[in-house]
Amino acid sequence: MSMLSLFIFFLLAFAMTYFMRTYALKKNIIDNPNERSSHNVPTPRGGGVAVVCSYLLALAVLIYNQQLTLHIGLTLIAAGFVIALLGFLDDHGHINSMLRLAIHFLVAISVVISLGGFSEVTAFNGLVLGFSANIIAVLFLVWLLNLYNFMDGINGIASVEAITTVVSMAILYYVLNTTLNSDILWLLAACVFGFLLWNFPKAKIFMGDACSGFLGLTLGILALIALKENLALFCAWIICLGVFVVDATYTLIKRVLSGYKMYDAHRSHSYQILSRKWGSHTPVTLAVAAINLLWLLPLAYYTVTQPLAYPEFMVLVAYLPLILIAMKLKAGHPDA
């Protein structure tokens, strides 16, 4: 993948975000602050459509140039388009949460089938998961899709998480000289960066559900494709996504155990608590980038380069400090 190609798609996403901002202002597609919000100024939303459109075009170009197999490319395009369209419609008007979740499951099931299933996957040094691996894969995609939406709450955080994750994995692909295509990772980073400049440090437009769900699903599919290669590489993906996985999962479990509904609006994620404590979104987003590059990336590198009997153990090592941070901040607590 040439630098020129990356620059072209960066510019495309950047320009399209400008047009999406103009469109949102004209159509009054505004995110007004509520009890879940971490912002206090009405801001146009839906800018992430630029990421979706530019990345889907990038995938089509890779397929045309025979740099990406038709099967993998169409799986990413079809699934991503459906989820992005669903999010776009939800941004323009409310869609019933149960209908939305049902579509999430249908898309996830279709992806797992398209990838050939995961019944052959073994874990913990020889444990054959069989058909249950397919169920786990579906739940993984649905949860990652939704948690990315939950975590898209302050300036730049969803974009920075995506960029640092895919860049980290692209580096690991290069180190391993894997057969997996790293071009799709670099292109995703370029497209997201084009949007990020409109969203950080001061948000001129928000990403919206169309893109947050799209990113969560896309990252999940890329992780499952890596699982087809080897378990350690999949664990590296899970490690690199650790900040979002831990914060969203810990907060949800804490709230459900406290009697709250899963989709109740709230501001008790670790990142939201920190943004209030520190009085700004910027240092929180930069802290996420630092954790991803200085803590999670080295652990992911160790996981894929060392002949570990249990690469799953490295996921626990990576997550433990993040869990302790969530506990310290009282994430999910009603008074947080």
Side-chain angles (χ1 to χ4, degrees), residues 96-272:
N96 180 273
S97 60
M98 293 307 297
L99 173 61
R100 189 168 64 241
L101 188 61
I103 295 174
H104 290 172
F105 269 101
L106 287 174
V107 170
I109 291 169
S110 299
V111 167
V112 170
I113 293 173
S114 177
L115 294 179
F118 297 89
S119 297
E120 78 284 359
V121 170
T122 61
F124 303 106
N125 199 26
L127 176 63
V128 179
L129 298 179
F131 185 78
S132 64
N134 297 319
I135 298 174
I136 295 170
V138 169
L139 294 174
F140 167 72
L141 286 177
V142 172
W143 177 225
L144 196 58
L145 189 167
N146 282 278
L147 76 82
Y148 223 91
N149 183 31
F150 298 155
M151 293 294 291
D152 178 28
I154 62 173
N155 300 344
I157 192 170
S159 299
V160 165
E161 176 74 1
I163 292 170
T164 53
T165 295
V166 296
V167 167
S168 295
M169 292 309 302
I171 292 171
L172 297 185
Y173 284 12
Y174 175 78
V175 170
L176 291 177
N177 194 26
T178 176
T179 58
L180 296 175
N181 192 327
S182 64
D183 290 346
I184 55 179
L185 305 183
W186 291 113
L187 281 168
L188 182 56
C191 293
V192 176
F193 189 58
F195 166 78
L196 176 63
L197 298 183
W198 290 95
N199 184 247
F200 183 80
K202 182 176 175 60
K204 299 179 180 65
I205 188 168
F206 291 151
M207 180 177 284
D209 290 350
C211 186
S212 59
F214 172 85
L215 285 177
L217 180 71
T218 300
L219 294 173
I221 294 173
L222 293 173
L224 289 180
I225 293 171
L227 180 58
K228 287 285 187 178
E229 185 88 358
N230 66 67
L231 179 63
L233 203 56
F234 175 74
C235 288
W237 272 100
I238 303 304
I239 289 170
C240 288
L241 288 165
V243 170
F244 270 31
V245 172
V246 170
D247 194 355
T249 305
Y250 180 90
T251 301
L252 177 69
I253 292 173
K254 183 70 174 179
R255 287 182 57 78
V256 169
L257 291 177
S258 298
Y260 292 92
K261 294 179 181 178
M262 183 181 298
Y263 279 95
D264 281 347
H266 67 94
R267 295 195 304 165
S268 60
H269 286 288
S270 296
Y271 76 91
Q272 293 171 319

Side-chain angles (χ1 to χ4, degrees), residues 89-100:
L89 294 174
D90 201 31
D91 282 336
H92 284 68
H94 179 69
I95 295 178
N96 180 273
S97 60
M98 293 307 297
L99 173 61
R100 189 168 64 241

Side-chain angles (χ1 to χ4, degrees), residues 9 15 34 57-58 66 96 104 125 142 235 283 287 294 306 308 325:
F9 282 101
N34 57 37
L57 178 60
Q66 297 184 338
N96 180 273
H104 290 172
N125 199 26
V142 172
C235 288
L294 302 179
Q306 301 300 314
L308 300 172
I325 290 172

